Amino acid sequence: GNGNIPCEIRWAITLPLVHEKPVGEIQEIPIRGIIAMSINGVPAYGPQEVGSDNAVDPTGQIKDAQFWYGHATKQKVWHLHNPYMGKETPDKDTLLGYALDGFPIYGPYPVNSPDALDECNGIFVNGQYQYHVLEIADVDGTTTDYCKSEEPKEVVNWNYILGCYKGK
């Protein structure tokens, strides 16, 4: 297990109140570091751990990074990589947190749904844009190539929380 003991950190994050969704413009998320804030106040980090390992790979170097409740860094920062973002059993209607571009993040969207998520794991629901996390089983963890921009659209590559930022 992880011997790093977390300490209390007061996070101050500014999120936009008015969202802009540029047409055709996306911003790649960082592979490490904060990409979103969960509703319980724990930051969600990008998909890679030290050594460029897939953070939720149970055979990876950091074994406890895969779990829904998170783990601490050597600097004692508690954070999440798991798409459940601190919830044990979320569904598509469960608000998990907010991406740093201000759009909400909800639980896993049904893969077999006629409404497909876009390249950022987002979709419009009742006229509002929102992200949905992916189930770990629906993520291609077999490749070490992180950046999705060179891959066909069908390839889902470690983007279990966010695929990219759609807003500004």
Side-chain angles (χ1 to χ4, degrees):
N2 183 338
N4 301 324
I5 299 170
C7 59
E8 183 177 329
I9 297 175
R10 294 178 186 262
W11 291 93
I13 299 176
T14 303
L15 299 174
L17 291 176
V18 178
H19 307 295
E20 295 181 32
K21 183 191 173 296
V23 178
E25 185 180 330
I26 61 172
Q27 180 183 0
E28 192 165 337
I29 62 167
I31 57 175
R32 293 184 193 92
I34 187 171
I35 61 170
M37 184 60 77
S38 66
I39 60 167
N40 66 6
V42 176
Y45 276 25
Q48 285 191 354
E49 268 296 344
V50 296
S52 299
D53 286 344
N54 182 333
V56 299
D57 181 356
T59 63
Q61 182 179 354
I62 311 292
K63 304 271 189 260
D64 60 351
Q66 67 180 311
F67 301 114
W68 63 267
Y69 48 79
H71 73 130
T73 66
K74 288 183 180 180
Q75 294 78 27
K76 302 182 182 192
V77 177
W78 195 262
H79 65 283
L80 308 158
H81 295 279
N82 186 287
Y84 287 4
M85 294 177 66
K87 297 285 186 180
E88 196 166 2
T89 56
D91 63 24
K92 71 177 183 66
D93 298 317
T94 305
L95 178 62
L96 299 175
Y98 291 88
L100 293 186
D101 64 1
F103 287 110
I105 303 172
Y106 287 88
Y109 204 76
V111 196
N112 56 359
S113 171
D115 301 321
L117 297 176
D118 64 20
E119 68 272 26
C120 294
N121 299 358
I123 192 168
F124 279 94
V125 175
N126 299 323
Q128 299 295 314
Y129 188 75
Q130 61 189 39
Y131 297 112
H132 285 268
V133 299
L134 301 177
E135 293 282 1
I136 292 174
D138 296 329
V139 174
D140 178 5
T142 62
T143 178
T144 57
D145 298 329
Y146 166 70
C147 184
K148 192 173 173 177
S149 60
E150 300 298 319
E151 300 288 342
K153 187 170 174 33
E154 294 78 31
V155 175
V156 179
N157 190 5
W158 294 16
N159 300 330
Y160 32 81
I161 294 180
L162 296 174
C164 48
Y165 292 120
K166 203 72 165 193
K168 289 185 176 182

